[in-house]
C-alpha cells in the first residue's frame, strides 16, 4: 500500500504532533547516542522553532560505524548474498518507504522547509523509485569473458568495493541519500552515510525501515553530526574504500584532499551549478517555456544544484517571456510548507537566508533591476521566506550571474546571436545542467552539443529519469555519476581472472 496522499493543512499539523522522531545515529542495526554524549538542536526553518535534539557524532562514532560496516562486509551477509535476494530485500525497502511516504514527507517538511506536496508527492515516491530501480539491476548485470588465447579463460568481474562513505546535503535529504544508497547497496557494499546536520531526521527513519525490510545489521549505518567532524572523518577514514559526496564545490575539493592525505579512496563528487536556460527567438509556446523556467529556478526554493539560475533570452522575445513568467508566478504561492497550496516553502536556515539576501543586495549594487521579489517576506512566521526574485539587465560578469546563490533568484541576460548565447552559457566555472528552447531542430542539436554541461534539456527542464546519468562538467562534478547503470560501475572494482587450462 502506498501512502502518497497529501494531507490537508489541519491534518498535517495534527500529524506533526504525533510524529515519533528518531534522533540518534543508526549504527549496526540500532539507534545509538553519540560516543561523546553530545547533542545538537535541529529547527524548523518555516518557524525558526526547535524540533528535536539530535546525537552529535564525531570521529569516534564514524570509527564504530565503519567497524560495523566492515564486519558485515567481510561476513558476506550482504556482499555475498544471492543477488536475487539482495534485490528482493531492497525492493521490500522501497515498498516500505512508499507505504510510509506521508510520515516521511511530514518529517522532511518540518526539518527542511520543503512544501508538503513535494515531500509526500515527489521526494518519497522518487526515493522509493530510485532504490527499486537500482535493486532491479542487482541480478541483471553480467561480467565479461575476454577473447583470450586458446588454452586460457579470462573473465572480467565486478566486485563491491567494500565500505562506501557518503556525505549528503540538505536540499533533497531523502532523495540524495537514495541516489547513493541505491547503487552502493545493490552492488553489495556496506555504507556509512552522513546526512546534513540540518536535515537528519528522514534518513534515520528510512534506515530503520531498511532493517525492517531485511537489510542485515551493519550494512547501512547513519552517523549524524557536523561536516567538519563527522564528514571529515568519513573523508579521511583509512578503512573506507570510496566516498560519494553531494554539496558545495568548496567542500568537494576537501574530499579530494582527504583522500590524497589518507588511503587514496575513490572520490565521487556532485557539486554546484550556475545552469543556463537559453530561449531562442523562434521559441513559440511562451506559457510552456515560462512554466519550465519557473520550475527550473523556483522549485525547491531554488535550493537545487541544477537550478536554471541564468535565463539567457533572445532580445526579441524577452518582453513576452517576462510577461508570461510573471503570469506563471501567480501559480507559485510562498507560504507554510505544511499547506498543500504552497509551492515555495522556507529556505533551509537563517544563515542561508542571509546569504541569499546578501546576493540580492549585490545584484542591486551591480546595477541589475529587480522585476519581482527581492525582499524577505512572512517574517511574522519566524521562518526564512524569500519570494521568487527576478533580476533583469544582468550581465554575465556580475556576481549574481557567476556565483551559486542556491535560492529563488533568476538572472535575465539578453543575447542577439546563437554563438553569443552559447558563449554566455558556457562562460561559467560550472557545468551541471542546461536547457534550451527552440522550434528549430538544427539549432537544438547543434547547441545541445556545444553546451558544456552534464545534462541538457531541449524544450524541457529535465534531469531525465533513473535511466540516465546525472553529473557535471568542470567545477560541477568529478569522478562519477548518480543514477543509471553508470552509478553501479562506480561502486564496484573491476577484477580480471586469468586461467591457464591444462592441456588434455
Ligand atoms: P556543504 O557543502 O557545506 O554541505 C554539504 C554536506 O557536506 C553536509 O552534509 C555538510 O555537513 C558536509 N560538510 C560540510 N563541511 C564539511 C567538511 N569540512 N568536510 C566534510 N563534510 C563537510 O554545503 P552548505 O550546507 O554549507 O551550503 C553552502 C552552499 O553549497 C549552498 O549555498 C550551495 O551553493 C552549495 N550546495 C550545493 C548542493 C548541491 O546539491 N550541489 C547542496 C548543498 C549546498 P553539515 O551540513 O552537517 O555541516
Amino acid at each position: 500500500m502506498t501512502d502518497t496522499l497529501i494531507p490537508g493543512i489541519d491534518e498535517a499539523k495534527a500529524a506533526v504532533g504525533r510524529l515519533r522522531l528518531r534522533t540518534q545515529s543508526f549504527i549496526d542495526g540500532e539507534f545509538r547516542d553519540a560516543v561523546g554524549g553530545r547533542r545538537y538542536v535541529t529547527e524548523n526553518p518555516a518557524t525558526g522553532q526547535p524540533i528535536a535534539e539530535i546525537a552529535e557524532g564525531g570521529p569516534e562514532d564514524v570509527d564504530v560505524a565503519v567497524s560495523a560496516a566492515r564486519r558485515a562486509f567481510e561476513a558476506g551477509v550482504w556482499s555475498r548474498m544471492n543477488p536475487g535476494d539482495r534485490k528482493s530485500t531492497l525492493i521490500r525497502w522501497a515498498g516500505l518507504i512508499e507505504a510510509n511516504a506521508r510520515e516521511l514527507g511530514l518529517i522532511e517538511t518540518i526539518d527542511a522547509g520543503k512544501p508538503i506536496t513535494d515531500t509526500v508527492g515527489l521526494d518519497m515516491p522518487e526515493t522509493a523509485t530510485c532504490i527499486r530501480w537500482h535493486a532491479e539491476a542487482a541480478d541483471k548485470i553480467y561480467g565479461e569473458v575476454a577473447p583470450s588465447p586458446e588454452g586460457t579463460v579470462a573473465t572480467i568481474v565486478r566486485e563491491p568495493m567494500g565500505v562506501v562513505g557518503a556525505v549528503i546535503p540538505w536540499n533533497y535529504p531523502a532523495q540524495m541519500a537514495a541516489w547513493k544508497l541505491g547503487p552502493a547497496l545493490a552492488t553489495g557494499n556496506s555504507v556509512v552515510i552522513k546526512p546534513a546536520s540540518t536535515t537528519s531526521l528522514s534518513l534515520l527513519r528510512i534506515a530503520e525501515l531498511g532493517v525492517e525490510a531485511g537489510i542485515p545489521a551493519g550494512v547501512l549505518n547513519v552517523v549524524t553530526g557536523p561536516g567538519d567532524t563527522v564528514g571529515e572523518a568519513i573523508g579521511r577514514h583509512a578503512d573506507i574504500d570510496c566516498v560519494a559526496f553531494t554539496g558545495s564545490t568548496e567542500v568537494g575539493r576537501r574530499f579530494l584532499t582527504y583522500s590524497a592525505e589518507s588511503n587514496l579512496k575513490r572520490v565521487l563528487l556532485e557539486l554546484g551549478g550556475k545552469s543556463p536556460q537559453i530561449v531562442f527567438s523562434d521559441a513559440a509556446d511562451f506559457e510552456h517555456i515560462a512554466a519550465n523556467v519557473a520550475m527550473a529556478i523556483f522549485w525547491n526554493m531554488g535550493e537545487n544544484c541544477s537550478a536554471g539560475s541564468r535565463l539567457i533570452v533572445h532580445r526579441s522575445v524577452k518582453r513576452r517571456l517576462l510577461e508570461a513568467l510573471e503570469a506563471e508566478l501567480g501559480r507559485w504561492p510562498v507560504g507554510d510548507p505544511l499547506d498543500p497550496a504552497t509551492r515555495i516553502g522556507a529556505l533551509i536556515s537563517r544563515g542561508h537566508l542571509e546569504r541569499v539576501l546578501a546576493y540580492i543586495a549585490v545584484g542591486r549594487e551591480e546595477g541589475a533591476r529587480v522585476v519581482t521579489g527581492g525582499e524577505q517576506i512572512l517574517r511574522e512566521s519566524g521562518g526564512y521566506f524569500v519570494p521568487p526574485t527576478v533580476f533583469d539587465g544582468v550581465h554575465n560578469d556580475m556576481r549574481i550571474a557567476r556565483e551559486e546563490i542556491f535560492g529563488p533568484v533568476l538572472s535575465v541576460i539578453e543575447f542577439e546571436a546563437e554563438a553569443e548565447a552559447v558563449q554566455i552559457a558556457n562562460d561559467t566555472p560550472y557545468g551541471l545542467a542546461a536547457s534550451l528552447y527552440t522550434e528549430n531542430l538544427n539549432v537544438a542539436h547543434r547547441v545541445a552539443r556545444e553546451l558544456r554541461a552534464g545534462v541538457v534539456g531541449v524544450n524541457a527542464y529535465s534531469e531525465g529519469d533513473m535511466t540516465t546519468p546525472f553529473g557535471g562538467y568542470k567545477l560541477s562534478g568529478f569522478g562519477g555519476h548518480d543514477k543509471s547503470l553508470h552509478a553501479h560501475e562506480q561502486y564496484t572494482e573491476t577484477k580480471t581472472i586469468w586461467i591457464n587450462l591444462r592441456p588434455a
Side-chain angles (χ1 to χ4, degrees), residues 167-171 194-198 225-228 231-232 245-248 251 254-255 258 270-272 305 352 355 404-406:
V167 175
I168 56 165
W170 39 261
N171 52 345
K194 186 198 102 60
S197 41
T198 38
D228 55 8
E232 177 162 350
F245 170 74
T246 295
S248 62
V251 174
R254 291 189 194 190
F255 275 95
Y258 301 155
E270 200 268 277
L271 309 173
C305 49
H352 192 55
R355 187 171 183 266
E404 187 177 41
I405 300 174
F406 225 61

Side-chain angles (χ1 to χ4, degrees), residues 6-10 12-13 106 109 114-118 333-345:
I6 293 146
I9 184 162
D10 294 336
K13 285 189 168 159
L106 276 169
T109 287
K114 292 162 67 99
I116 190 86
T117 40
D118 286 350
V334 186
D336 185 344
L338 285 173
D339 184 343
T342 293
R343 283 189 83 185
I344 300 190

Side-chain angles (χ1 to χ4, degrees), residues 179-201:
W179 282 16
K180 315 297 184 201
L181 294 174
L185 291 175
T187 45
N189 296 283
S190 296
V191 180
V192 175
I193 183 167
K194 186 198 102 60
S197 41
T198 38
T199 55
S200 299
L201 294 172

Side-chain angles (χ1 to χ4, degrees), residues 196-403:
S197 41
T198 38
T199 55
S200 299
L201 294 172
S202 58
L203 183 57
L204 290 170
R205 177 74 180 117
I206 287 171
E208 187 182 37
L209 293 173
V211 167
E212 198 179 320
I215 298 175
V219 170
L220 167 56
N221 306 276
V222 183
V223 182
T224 54
D228 55 8
T229 52
V230 175
E232 177 162 350
I234 289 175
R236 291 189 180 277
H237 206 288
D239 205 23
I240 289 182
D241 302 288
C242 164
V243 67
F245 170 74
T246 295
S248 62
T249 296
E250 182 203 336
V251 174
R253 287 181 198 276
R254 291 189 194 190
F255 275 95
L256 291 175
T257 306
Y258 301 155
S259 170
E261 291 180 355
S262 57
N263 61 342
L264 284 184
K265 59 177 65 61
R266 186 179 296 175
V267 180
L268 313 170
L269 301 178
E270 200 268 277
L271 309 173
K274 198 71 196 175
S275 297
Q277 310 188 63
I278 309 177
V279 181
F280 287 95
S281 59
D282 67 330
D285 186 349
F286 286 92
E287 214 174 301
H288 165 79
I289 298 172
N292 275 289
V293 166
M295 179 64 111
I297 180 62
F298 300 127
W299 180 41
N300 210 54
M301 293 68 74
E303 294 170 335
N304 188 351
C305 49
S306 57
S309 50
R310 293 182 298 146
L311 178 62
I312 301 168
V313 55
H314 193 271
R315 195 160 293 151
S316 64
V317 293
K318 185 179 90 172
R319 192 181 52 76
R320 282 171 69 197
L321 181 59
L322 289 188
E323 282 167 8
L325 185 58
E326 201 184 328
E328 169 64 22
L329 289 183
R331 289 186 276 277
W332 285 79
V334 186
D336 185 344
L338 285 173
D339 184 343
T342 293
R343 283 189 83 185
I344 300 190
L347 295 177
I348 188 68
S349 63
R350 174 168 299 283
H352 192 55
L353 166 80
E354 283 164 5
R355 187 171 183 266
V356 170
L357 292 175
Y359 269 113
I360 293 174
V362 165
R364 286 193 168 102
E365 282 158 24
E366 286 178 315
R369 187 171 61 84
V370 174
V371 177
T372 184
E375 309 287 344
Q376 183 185 357
I377 58 168
L378 302 174
R379 284 169 189 265
E380 66 286 0
S381 64
Y384 316 125
F385 295 91
V386 172
T389 296
V390 178
F391 273 108
D392 194 6
V394 178
H395 298 285
N396 206 49
D397 54 0
M398 292 180 177
R399 279 183 64 200
I400 55 168
R402 303 204 73 76
E403 297 173 21

